Amino acid sequence: MKYVALLSGGKDSCFNLLHCQHNHHQLVAAATLSPHSGKDEIDSYMYQTVGQDAIALVAQALDVPLYRRVIQGNPLQQAAEYGLKTAGGGGIPGDETEDLYALLFEVLHHHPDIQAVSVGAILSNYQRVRVEHVCRRLSLTPLAYLWQRNQTSLLSEMIASGLDAILIKIAGAGLTPSDLARSLSSMQPKLMSLHQKFGTHPCGEGGEYETFTIDSPLFKSWIDIKEKEIVVADQSDVAPETTSMIRLDIPAPLLLEHPFATLLTFIEDSLHCAPPDPLAASGTNSFHPELGPSVRRIGPWIAVGNVRLPKSDPQPLNVGEEVTRCFEILQNLLAKSSPAHGNLLPTSATITLLLPDLDGSTFSMANTAYASFFGTSPPARACVGVGGVGVGLDCLAWAEEWGRIPDNKMASKKMTGEMGTRKALHCSEFKLLGTCKHRSLFASYQCLLTCSFNAQIPPYTFISGQIGLIPSSLTLPPPSSESSTLPLETALVLQHTARIIRAAPNSGLGDGSEGGFGVNDSRSEVDSGDVSRNANGEGGWIQLAIYYLVHRADVDHVRKHVESVDGLTPTVYVVLLSLPRGARVEKQVLVHSGRFVVSDPDSSKEEEDEEELVVAKSPQFVQGDLLVQHPECTMVQNFRSIMKYPGFLHSSETCAIMFVRHSDVPHLPDTLAVQAVIQMRAIQEFTPFIERTLVAKAFVSHSNGSGRLVVSLLKALFKDEMPAVTVIPSQYVESRVGDGWDWAVTLMAV
């Protein structure tokens, strides 16, 4: 792609250009934002402005035109997210982010063939989110190959590449005026020593220092600094703030971390020992669920399931119109459930979009309609093709203003998950270690294939479905007549999921030594049992995992080996008609932080004013079999659960999956469901689900009455506490322990 470089003159923006060239993108122009005349530097949340006097020299060395704009705005919206959440998602007038929009708009006026923007962001989510917001509005793709990279490795790679940068500002512990104008290579030992002693950021991401690039393999000529002037802004003995005025071989990290590389090998070996798999799953499940939309509200959570057009409605002209009408139904249901909170759809946590197929035209029309309902910070999403049963939706929304509900006020020996405001992690750029996901929620087809949205509402993180795109190109592994793409796709899917969890707002970002993803990418091994937790032990526990596949024969190869990474997580494997971009596997997970609020046992205050503590807990996984017999048929139900906390009986934040197999009897007797319910209610681990189940997803693999039995069983089990149920026609359903099942139901209790 042709691209414009956002230049600060520093090492990061210039080093990212080397990765852009390495990935065959073409530099067309450079752009920069500067302070008003007479100011060398301003206090900006977004832009490095020190060294702007010489930025033209960098553009000249790159032999491209430079476009400049003076920063007019201020950091008005300083939250983690940026922009309007209403449909369209525009910017904030007067915010400094809008200066970037105006600058890139001007660049596009002169170079309309530009498709992408090079961004040197490493650790700043604040900066990255705003750049992505501007790029989305201009239909540009961010190229951010450095984001969330391990800073120790990254510094070494910059020096090894031949990039030569000097320090032009210092403001970090241990750095002195004598370090100004020194090269990055000569400073590396000192920077690493300071990192070990004080926890400073090796690449200066904590503001410890700023640099100016004087040479690079991309430069047509090097920049000679003949004079310098030392300006001391802060005389502090600890960290004086001081400013100095003034071939391509790019090492890339390994594609896969150790446990995921091992997983790839296991699946490759499994495929070599098996006969060739079919090109696609045979047949379709034409079962059309009779169950209408259902709504369940528990505290601030509102779940809506099985949103479809009524059969009595006129047939839509196309899938785009059907998506629109389904969303209008969803909006009305949410409004009726929470009339005081207005339109909750734009701030929903997660949505599942069921389409007849995911061919290019269907997917494009559906996403165009989808995008019209969201602005900044749309929900996490999974999108799958289920065959000719029309469009379907489910949604989990959050009434943010509700806050902590009164009946969750802690009393002695009680606990509940932490609660807080909705946050989001959006990823849409090309990265080396990025979380390359398969969709955004915007009308641009290009962005549809490169973006993912992950909403976090403590204690939960909702992650969009992940497919196995290669991060640097955002393409699926190329097919080959000699080998299957399944091993690499599966390994990438699991790695993307783990990295998102480690980088999500729920996890924290560490001290910079391990990178935002919490894993030192120079290490050869990562603990395979802890891949979703960062270097500080932060991240989350996967409560529930859903694997969508399109080939029946792929299920066993995946199922037998992902447990080395997933552990005992309740997992269901579902074969459907199609997945985005022709992927063979997609994974969606629900994550819990493992943090709980408990009353402080040492508090001397009265009970109503008890102090609260946040404690970290590790989950226990429980599973068991249930056999229900009847003279006409047999039903086997496999029950498994997550998040059982010994000593805390009041925690209801848990997930479970029920797997059911029954005989092919046209009309199963009601007594079968009654017997099953009696036995299920007797299971202690199932107690939280009786009254607190919010969401149920039923994957039905047969049309011989399975759908009706699912609904009958759930109604008998939950009675007046019926969750929001969505029925998803499937071609095959399997559990973590193997064996095909007639249907499976995932349950989320809060």
Side-chain angles (χ1 to χ4, degrees), residues 295-320:
V295 181
R296 171 74 157 140
R297 177 162 191 170
I298 301 178
W301 296 101
I302 304 173
V304 182
N306 224 67
V307 178
R308 298 178 182 273
L309 292 187
K311 288 185 176 181
S312 58
D313 276 18
Q315 287 298 308
L317 296 175
N318 53 52
V319 71

PDB file of all heavy atoms in Angstrom, residues 295-320:
ATOM      1  N   VAL A 295     -35.516 -11.581  26.844  1.00  0.00           N
ATOM      2  CA  VAL A 295     -34.758 -10.544  27.540  1.00  0.00           C
ATOM      3  C   VAL A 295     -34.586 -10.960  28.996  1.00  0.00           C
ATOM      4  O   VAL A 295     -35.529 -11.464  29.619  1.00  0.00           O
ATOM      5  CB  VAL A 295     -35.467  -9.177  27.474  1.00  0.00           C
ATOM      6  CG1 VAL A 295     -34.643  -8.113  28.194  1.00  0.00           C
ATOM      7  CG2 VAL A 295     -35.713  -8.778  26.028  1.00  0.00           C
ATOM      8  N   ARG A 296     -33.406 -10.739  29.526  1.00  0.00           N
ATOM      9  CA  ARG A 296     -33.143 -11.035  30.937  1.00  0.00           C
ATOM     10  C   ARG A 296     -32.318  -9.892  31.519  1.00  0.00           C
ATOM     11  O   ARG A 296     -31.306  -9.488  30.942  1.00  0.00           O
ATOM     12  CB  ARG A 296     -32.360 -12.339  31.042  1.00  0.00           C
ATOM     13  CG  ARG A 296     -31.833 -12.675  32.440  1.00  0.00           C
ATOM     14  CD  ARG A 296     -32.923 -13.141  33.355  1.00  0.00           C
ATOM     15  NE  ARG A 296     -32.396 -13.949  34.455  1.00  0.00           N
ATOM     16  CZ  ARG A 296     -32.817 -13.882  35.696  1.00  0.00           C
ATOM     17  NH1 ARG A 296     -33.798 -13.034  36.011  1.00  0.00           N
ATOM     18  NH2 ARG A 296     -32.314 -14.654  36.628  1.00  0.00           N
ATOM     19  N   ARG A 297     -32.781  -9.354  32.642  1.00  0.00           N
ATOM     20  CA  ARG A 297     -32.048  -8.282  33.317  1.00  0.00           C
ATOM     21  C   ARG A 297     -31.681  -8.709  34.730  1.00  0.00           C
ATOM     22  O   ARG A 297     -32.526  -9.180  35.488  1.00  0.00           O
ATOM     23  CB  ARG A 297     -32.847  -6.984  33.362  1.00  0.00           C
ATOM     24  CG  ARG A 297     -32.112  -5.887  34.131  1.00  0.00           C
ATOM     25  CD  ARG A 297     -32.617  -4.509  33.846  1.00  0.00           C
ATOM     26  NE  ARG A 297     -31.704  -3.514  34.400  1.00  0.00           N
ATOM     27  CZ  ARG A 297     -31.761  -2.220  34.157  1.00  0.00           C
ATOM     28  NH1 ARG A 297     -32.695  -1.746  33.359  1.00  0.00           N
ATOM     29  NH2 ARG A 297     -30.889  -1.399  34.699  1.00  0.00           N
ATOM     30  N   ILE A 298     -30.396  -8.550  35.051  1.00  0.00           N
ATOM     31  CA  ILE A 298     -29.905  -8.775  36.409  1.00  0.00           C
ATOM     32  C   ILE A 298     -29.026  -7.582  36.768  1.00  0.00           C
ATOM     33  O   ILE A 298     -27.936  -7.417  36.213  1.00  0.00           O
ATOM     34  CB  ILE A 298     -29.112 -10.085  36.536  1.00  0.00           C
ATOM     35  CG1 ILE A 298     -29.977 -11.288  36.149  1.00  0.00           C
ATOM     36  CG2 ILE A 298     -28.573 -10.249  37.958  1.00  0.00           C
ATOM     37  CD1 ILE A 298     -29.250 -12.618  36.212  1.00  0.00           C
ATOM     38  N   GLY A 299     -29.505  -6.735  37.679  1.00  0.00           N
ATOM     39  CA  GLY A 299     -28.744  -5.544  38.049  1.00  0.00           C
ATOM     40  C   GLY A 299     -28.489  -4.668  36.833  1.00  0.00           C
ATOM     41  O   GLY A 299     -29.410  -4.345  36.074  1.00  0.00           O
ATOM     42  N   PRO A 300     -27.231  -4.291  36.582  1.00  0.00           N
ATOM     43  CA  PRO A 300     -26.934  -3.423  35.445  1.00  0.00           C
ATOM     44  C   PRO A 300     -26.839  -4.168  34.119  1.00  0.00           C
ATOM     45  O   PRO A 300     -26.696  -3.549  33.072  1.00  0.00           O
ATOM     46  CB  PRO A 300     -25.569  -2.826  35.812  1.00  0.00           C
ATOM     47  CG  PRO A 300     -24.929  -3.871  36.664  1.00  0.00           C
ATOM     48  CD  PRO A 300     -26.044  -4.517  37.434  1.00  0.00           C
ATOM     49  N   TRP A 301     -26.901  -5.504  34.144  1.00  0.00           N
ATOM     50  CA  TRP A 301     -26.762  -6.295  32.923  1.00  0.00           C
ATOM     51  C   TRP A 301     -28.117  -6.514  32.264  1.00  0.00           C
ATOM     52  O   TRP A 301     -29.087  -6.873  32.928  1.00  0.00           O
ATOM     53  CB  TRP A 301     -26.132  -7.644  33.229  1.00  0.00           C
ATOM     54  CG  TRP A 301     -24.732  -7.579  33.754  1.00  0.00           C
ATOM     55  CD1 TRP A 301     -24.331  -7.706  35.055  1.00  0.00           C
ATOM     56  CD2 TRP A 301     -23.554  -7.365  32.981  1.00  0.00           C
ATOM     57  NE1 TRP A 301     -22.962  -7.597  35.135  1.00  0.00           N
ATOM     58  CE2 TRP A 301     -22.458  -7.383  33.882  1.00  0.00           C
ATOM     59  CE3 TRP A 301     -23.305  -7.167  31.627  1.00  0.00           C
ATOM     60  CZ2 TRP A 301     -21.149  -7.204  33.465  1.00  0.00           C
ATOM     61  CZ3 TRP A 301     -22.000  -6.998  31.207  1.00  0.00           C
ATOM     62  CH2 TRP A 301     -20.938  -7.014  32.112  1.00  0.00           C
ATOM     63  N   ILE A 302     -28.155  -6.341  30.947  1.00  0.00           N
ATOM     64  CA  ILE A 302     -29.366  -6.619  30.172  1.00  0.00           C
ATOM     65  C   ILE A 302     -28.958  -7.497  28.991  1.00  0.00           C
ATOM     66  O   ILE A 302     -28.143  -7.092  28.156  1.00  0.00           O
ATOM     67  CB  ILE A 302     -30.031  -5.337  29.649  1.00  0.00           C
ATOM     68  CG1 ILE A 302     -30.343  -4.381  30.803  1.00  0.00           C
ATOM     69  CG2 ILE A 302     -31.303  -5.672  28.880  1.00  0.00           C
ATOM     70  CD1 ILE A 302     -30.841  -3.028  30.354  1.00  0.00           C
ATOM     71  N   ALA A 303     -29.512  -8.696  28.940  1.00  0.00           N
ATOM     72  CA  ALA A 303     -29.213  -9.625  27.851  1.00  0.00           C
ATOM     73  C   ALA A 303     -30.450  -9.794  26.976  1.00  0.00           C
ATOM     74  O   ALA A 303     -31.569  -9.909  27.476  1.00  0.00           O
ATOM     75  CB  ALA A 303     -28.775 -10.970  28.406  1.00  0.00           C
ATOM     76  N   VAL A 304     -30.232  -9.807  25.670  1.00  0.00           N
ATOM     77  CA  VAL A 304     -31.311 -10.026  24.707  1.00  0.00           C
ATOM     78  C   VAL A 304     -30.883 -11.170  23.799  1.00  0.00           C
ATOM     79  O   VAL A 304     -29.782 -11.148  23.240  1.00  0.00           O
ATOM     80  CB  VAL A 304     -31.598  -8.765  23.872  1.00  0.00           C
ATOM     81  CG1 VAL A 304     -32.754  -9.029  22.909  1.00  0.00           C
ATOM     82  CG2 VAL A 304     -31.911  -7.582  24.778  1.00  0.00           C
ATOM     83  N   GLY A 305     -31.722 -12.170  23.671  1.00  0.00           N
ATOM     84  CA  GLY A 305     -31.379 -13.334  22.865  1.00  0.00           C
ATOM     85  C   GLY A 305     -32.346 -13.576  21.731  1.00  0.00           C
ATOM     86  O   GLY A 305     -33.501 -13.143  21.757  1.00  0.00           O
ATOM     87  N   ASN A 306     -31.845 -14.273  20.709  1.00  0.00           N
ATOM     88  CA  ASN A 306     -32.666 -14.795  19.614  1.00  0.00           C
ATOM     89  C   ASN A 306     -33.473 -13.725  18.884  1.00  0.00           C
ATOM     90  O   ASN A 306     -34.655 -13.884  18.605  1.00  0.00           O
ATOM     91  CB  ASN A 306     -33.615 -15.875  20.135  1.00  0.00           C
ATOM     92  CG  ASN A 306     -33.662 -17.072  19.213  1.00  0.00           C
ATOM     93  OD1 ASN A 306     -32.671 -17.782  19.079  1.00  0.00           O
ATOM     94  ND2 ASN A 306     -34.789 -17.293  18.563  1.00  0.00           N
ATOM     95  N   VAL A 307     -32.830 -12.611  18.574  1.00  0.00           N
ATOM     96  CA  VAL A 307     -33.501 -11.546  17.820  1.00  0.00           C
ATOM     97  C   VAL A 307     -33.530 -11.936  16.345  1.00  0.00           C
ATOM     98  O   VAL A 307     -32.486 -12.064  15.696  1.00  0.00           O
ATOM     99  CB  VAL A 307     -32.778 -10.201  18.000  1.00  0.00           C
ATOM    100  CG1 VAL A 307     -33.461  -9.123  17.158  1.00  0.00           C
ATOM    101  CG2 VAL A 307     -32.750  -9.807  19.469  1.00  0.00           C
ATOM    102  N   ARG A 308     -34.704 -12.150  15.817  1.00  0.00           N
ATOM    103  CA  ARG A 308     -34.912 -12.477  14.399  1.00  0.00           C
ATOM    104  C   ARG A 308     -36.181 -11.788  13.914  1.00  0.00           C
ATOM    105  O   ARG A 308     -37.023 -11.387  14.711  1.00  0.00           O
ATOM    106  CB  ARG A 308     -35.040 -13.990  14.195  1.00  0.00           C
ATOM    107  CG  ARG A 308     -33.801 -14.781  14.597  1.00  0.00           C
ATOM    108  CD  ARG A 308     -34.017 -16.276  14.412  1.00  0.00           C
ATOM    109  NE  ARG A 308     -32.862 -17.047  14.826  1.00  0.00           N
ATOM    110  CZ  ARG A 308     -31.832 -17.342  14.053  1.00  0.00           C
ATOM    111  NH1 ARG A 308     -31.827 -16.924  12.790  1.00  0.00           N
ATOM    112  NH2 ARG A 308     -30.823 -18.058  14.505  1.00  0.00           N
ATOM    113  N   LEU A 309     -36.310 -11.679  12.616  1.00  0.00           N
ATOM    114  CA  LEU A 309     -37.536 -11.111  12.067  1.00  0.00           C
ATOM    115  C   LEU A 309     -38.683 -12.096  12.259  1.00  0.00           C
ATOM    116  O   LEU A 309     -38.532 -13.296  11.973  1.00  0.00           O
ATOM    117  CB  LEU A 309     -37.378 -10.810  10.579  1.00  0.00           C
ATOM    118  CG  LEU A 309     -36.414  -9.694  10.179  1.00  0.00           C
ATOM    119  CD1 LEU A 309     -36.525  -9.419   8.678  1.00  0.00           C
ATOM    120  CD2 LEU A 309     -36.699  -8.419  10.953  1.00  0.00           C
ATOM    121  N   PRO A 310     -39.822 -11.641  12.743  1.00  0.00           N
ATOM    122  CA  PRO A 310     -40.981 -12.533  12.845  1.00  0.00           C
ATOM    123  C   PRO A 310     -41.367 -13.062  11.470  1.00  0.00           C
ATOM    124  O   PRO A 310     -41.203 -12.378  10.445  1.00  0.00           O
ATOM    125  CB  PRO A 310     -42.076 -11.619  13.416  1.00  0.00           C
ATOM    126  CG  PRO A 310     -41.341 -10.476  14.059  1.00  0.00           C
ATOM    127  CD  PRO A 310     -40.096 -10.284  13.253  1.00  0.00           C
ATOM    128  N   LYS A 311     -41.873 -14.290  11.434  1.00  0.00           N
ATOM    129  CA  LYS A 311     -42.275 -14.873  10.151  1.00  0.00           C
ATOM    130  C   LYS A 311     -43.377 -14.066   9.480  1.00  0.00           C
ATOM    131  O   LYS A 311     -43.525 -14.105   8.251  1.00  0.00           O
ATOM    132  CB  LYS A 311     -42.728 -16.312  10.361  1.00  0.00           C
ATOM    133  CG  LYS A 311     -41.595 -17.276  10.676  1.00  0.00           C
ATOM    134  CD  LYS A 311     -42.102 -18.713  10.746  1.00  0.00           C
ATOM    135  CE  LYS A 311     -40.952 -19.688  10.973  1.00  0.00           C
ATOM    136  NZ  LYS A 311     -41.424 -21.100  11.025  1.00  0.00           N
ATOM    137  N   SER A 312     -44.137 -13.345  10.287  1.00  0.00           N
ATOM    138  CA  SER A 312     -45.248 -12.564   9.733  1.00  0.00           C
ATOM    139  C   SER A 312     -44.771 -11.279   9.052  1.00  0.00           C
ATOM    140  O   SER A 312     -45.538 -10.646   8.326  1.00  0.00           O
ATOM    141  CB  SER A 312     -46.237 -12.207  10.845  1.00  0.00           C
ATOM    142  OG  SER A 312     -45.577 -11.477  11.879  1.00  0.00           O
ATOM    143  N   ASP A 313     -43.522 -10.874   9.294  1.00  0.00           N
ATOM    144  CA  ASP A 313     -43.006  -9.646   8.690  1.00  0.00           C
ATOM    145  C   ASP A 313     -42.777  -9.839   7.195  1.00  0.00           C
ATOM    146  O   ASP A 313     -42.480 -10.951   6.733  1.00  0.00           O
ATOM    147  CB  ASP A 313     -41.681  -9.250   9.347  1.00  0.00           C
ATOM    148  CG  ASP A 313     -41.893  -8.454  10.624  1.00  0.00           C
ATOM    149  OD1 ASP A 313     -43.012  -8.509  11.165  1.00  0.00           O
ATOM    150  OD2 ASP A 313     -40.940  -7.790  11.072  1.00  0.00           O
ATOM    151  N   PRO A 314     -42.879  -8.742   6.408  1.00  0.00           N
ATOM    152  CA  PRO A 314     -42.538  -8.828   4.985  1.00  0.00           C
ATOM    153  C   PRO A 314     -41.088  -9.255   4.811  1.00  0.00           C
ATOM    154  O   PRO A 314     -40.216  -8.897   5.605  1.00  0.00           O
ATOM    155  CB  PRO A 314     -42.766  -7.392   4.482  1.00  0.00           C
ATOM    156  CG  PRO A 314     -43.652  -6.762   5.502  1.00  0.00           C
ATOM    157  CD  PRO A 314     -43.328  -7.405   6.808  1.00  0.00           C
ATOM    158  N   GLN A 315     -40.821 -10.016   3.779  1.00  0.00           N
ATOM    159  CA  GLN A 315     -39.468 -10.480   3.528  1.00  0.00           C
ATOM    160  C   GLN A 315     -38.562  -9.305   3.151  1.00  0.00           C
ATOM    161  O   GLN A 315     -38.932  -8.463   2.337  1.00  0.00           O
ATOM    162  CB  GLN A 315     -39.457 -11.506   2.397  1.00  0.00           C
ATOM    163  CG  GLN A 315     -40.038 -12.856   2.799  1.00  0.00           C
ATOM    164  CD  GLN A 315     -39.228 -13.510   3.915  1.00  0.00           C
ATOM    165  OE1 GLN A 315     -38.004 -13.642   3.811  1.00  0.00           O
ATOM    166  NE2 GLN A 315     -39.912 -13.897   4.979  1.00  0.00           N
ATOM    167  N   PRO A 316     -37.369  -9.213   3.756  1.00  0.00           N
ATOM    168  CA  PRO A 316     -36.457  -8.107   3.418  1.00  0.00           C
ATOM    169  C   PRO A 316     -35.905  -8.251   2.007  1.00  0.00           C
ATOM    170  O   PRO A 316     -35.867  -9.357   1.447  1.00  0.00           O
ATOM    171  CB  PRO A 316     -35.344  -8.256   4.464  1.00  0.00           C
ATOM    172  CG  PRO A 316     -35.363  -9.704   4.830  1.00  0.00           C
ATOM    173  CD  PRO A 316     -36.799 -10.120   4.752  1.00  0.00           C
ATOM    174  N   LEU A 317     -35.480  -7.126   1.444  1.00  0.00           N
ATOM    175  CA  LEU A 317     -34.936  -7.137   0.088  1.00  0.00           C
ATOM    176  C   LEU A 317     -33.580  -7.820   0.031  1.00  0.00           C
ATOM    177  O   LEU A 317     -33.239  -8.475  -0.953  1.00  0.00           O
ATOM    178  CB  LEU A 317     -34.816  -5.697  -0.435  1.00  0.00           C
ATOM    179  CG  LEU A 317     -36.129  -4.925  -0.593  1.00  0.00           C
ATOM    180  CD1 LEU A 317     -35.834  -3.482  -1.007  1.00  0.00           C
ATOM    181  CD2 LEU A 317     -37.023  -5.601  -1.622  1.00  0.00           C
ATOM    182  N   ASN A 318     -32.774  -7.659   1.089  1.00  0.00           N
ATOM    183  CA  ASN A 318     -31.434  -8.243   1.106  1.00  0.00           C
ATOM    184  C   ASN A 318     -30.990  -8.405   2.550  1.00  0.00           C
ATOM    185  O   ASN A 318     -31.703  -8.007   3.489  1.00  0.00           O
ATOM    186  CB  ASN A 318     -30.444  -7.371   0.311  1.00  0.00           C
ATOM    187  CG  ASN A 318     -30.452  -5.927   0.773  1.00  0.00           C
ATOM    188  OD1 ASN A 318     -30.318  -5.637   1.959  1.00  0.00           O
ATOM    189  ND2 ASN A 318     -30.624  -4.997  -0.176  1.00  0.00           N
ATOM    190  N   VAL A 319     -29.819  -8.973   2.745  1.00  0.00           N
ATOM    191  CA  VAL A 319     -29.339  -9.241   4.090  1.00  0.00           C
ATOM    192  C   VAL A 319     -29.060  -7.952   4.857  1.00  0.00           C
ATOM    193  O   VAL A 319     -29.217  -7.890   6.076  1.00  0.00           O
ATOM    194  CB  VAL A 319     -28.091 -10.147   4.045  1.00  0.00           C
ATOM    195  CG1 VAL A 319     -26.885  -9.390   3.492  1.00  0.00           C
ATOM    196  CG2 VAL A 319     -27.762 -10.709   5.427  1.00  0.00           C
ATOM    197  N   GLY A 320     -28.656  -6.885   4.142  1.00  0.00           N
ATOM    198  CA  GLY A 320     -28.416  -5.609   4.804  1.00  0.00           C
ATOM    199  C   GLY A 320     -29.683  -5.056   5.440  1.00  0.00           C
ATOM    200  O   GLY A 320     -29.670  -4.571   6.580  1.00  0.00           O
TER     201      GLY A 320
END
